[in-house]
Amino acid sequence: MTDIAIVDYGMGNLRSVSKALEHVAPTASIVVTSDPSVVQKASRIVVPGQGAMPNCMRELTGHGLKDAVLEAARNKPFLGICLGLQMLFDESEEGNVKGLGILPGKVRHFSHDAMIDSDKNKLKIPHMGWNQVHQTIQHALWNGISNDARFYFVHSYYVEPVNSEITAAYTLYPTPFTCAIAKDNIFAVQFHPEKSQLAGLTLLSNFTKWEPHSNR
């Protein structure tokens, strides 16, 4: 039986994610797969993603993976990364496309007019590089990670949950935005743990051992 399935719908930094998970869980059975039946049978699911949200949803459906991802998000330890976070929500401003609707909320584009920091410097879109992640809840996936640890980001869109209680962390660019969410068996992040050195590897290691029913 597969311990961890990394969902391959044609849009993700799959090799980096796979190598990072293999590093932190060398004895685990880890597969990159576009086979819905493998996703359904795996114990844990990771959904990465890079690129545009309309393409993401089209490819997810086109590969026959949508139902398998929906099922996994209901009952398995589930880690979403970048687009794997954004797809969980109702809709995105990027192409005005519908998401999976697992979590109420929208995916917003950074406002060009708001991209001014405290020193009056113009910030770029996309948000790219290292930034502090401010934890807002205690969670098993934060174990061993200092509050305000830096993670690596590459994105132009961010999630805006209806329910602020699912926000697990926020980042400033230049104003606060939700960069991690947690609900039941789901944990998802806007940043890339596979590119975030020790803090990212720690988060991935925590995921490989996470039992949602005993989360806190």
Side-chain angles (χ1 to χ4, degrees), residues 2-19:
T2 300
D3 295 318
I4 303 171
I6 302 168
V7 179
D8 178 10
Y9 55 99
M11 296 182 63
N13 190 14
L14 304 178
R15 180 173 174 79
S16 293
V17 174
S18 177
K19 291 297 183 184

Side-chain angles (χ1 to χ4, degrees), residues 8 10 23 28-29 41 43-44 52 66 68 70 72 91 97 107 110 129 156 183 186 190 202 206 211 216:
D8 178 10
H23 177 75
S29 170
K41 294 174 183 176
S43 300
R44 299 170 187 273
K66 182 177 178 179
L70 283 168
E91 57 184 318
V97 66
V107 181
F110 283 119
S156 300
K183 188 176 191 301
I186 298 172
Q190 184 60 64
T202 302
N206 290 338
E211 298 296 339
R216 296 181 179 87

Side-chain angles (χ1 to χ4, degrees), residues 21-50:
L21 284 166
E22 290 169 8
H23 177 75
V24 300
T27 63
S29 170
I30 301 168
V31 299
V32 176
T33 183
S34 58
D35 186 339
S37 67
V38 175
V39 174
Q40 290 169 346
K41 294 174 183 176
S43 300
R44 299 170 187 273
I45 304 299
V46 179
V47 183
Q50 293 177 312

Side-chain angles (χ1 to χ4, degrees), residues 150-203:
R150 291 183 177 273
F151 289 82
Y152 189 80
F153 290 81
V154 184
H155 65 122
S156 300
Y157 293 80
Y158 63 94
V159 299
E160 187 178 81
V162 169
N163 181 3
S164 62
E165 292 183 359
I166 71 170
T167 296
Y170 69 91
T171 292
L172 301 176
Y173 195 73
T175 55
F177 70 89
T178 295
C179 67
I181 62 94
K183 188 176 191 301
D184 302 327
N185 58 298
I186 298 172
F187 195 92
V189 297
Q190 184 60 64
F191 52 82
H192 289 269
E194 76 280 6
K195 297 180 180 179
S196 298
Q197 300 180 359
L198 181 59
L201 290 175
T202 302
L203 188 146

Side-chain angles (χ1 to χ4, degrees), residues 49-72:
Q50 293 177 312
M53 186 73 161
N55 297 338
C56 162
M57 297 309 299
R58 183 184 66 247
E59 293 300 315
L60 195 69
T61 301
H63 282 76
L65 287 161
K66 182 177 178 179
D67 288 343
V69 170
L70 283 168
E71 181 183 349

Side-chain angles (χ1 to χ4, degrees), residues 76-183:
K76 296 179 181 181
F78 181 106
L79 177 63
I81 299 173
C82 197
L83 280 179
L85 162 67
Q86 296 179 10
M87 70 169 62
L88 298 174
F89 288 82
D90 291 323
E91 57 184 318
S92 174
E93 290 183 345
E94 187 174 20
N96 294 315
V97 66
K98 296 292 186 183
L100 294 176
I102 296 169
L103 301 172
K106 294 184 177 181
V107 181
R108 303 284 192 189
H109 191 273
F110 283 119
S111 169
H112 287 277
D113 293 339
M115 291 291 105
I116 306 292
D117 68 14
S118 58
D119 296 323
K120 307 301 182 183
N121 296 314
K122 185 72 173 177
L123 300 177
K124 295 180 179 180
I125 301 173
H127 172 211
M128 182 181 299
W130 296 85
N131 210 331
Q132 286 183 307
V133 168
H134 308 282
Q135 301 168 22
T136 57
I137 63 170
Q138 289 186 327
H139 194 282
L141 267 68
W142 294 136
N143 289 346
I145 300 172
S146 62
N147 195 14
D148 302 338
R150 291 183 177 273
F151 289 82
Y152 189 80
F153 290 81
V154 184
H155 65 122
S156 300
Y157 293 80
Y158 63 94
V159 299
E160 187 178 81
V162 169
N163 181 3
S164 62
E165 292 183 359
I166 71 170
T167 296
Y170 69 91
T171 292
L172 301 176
Y173 195 73
T175 55
F177 70 89
T178 295
C179 67
I181 62 94
K183 188 176 191 301

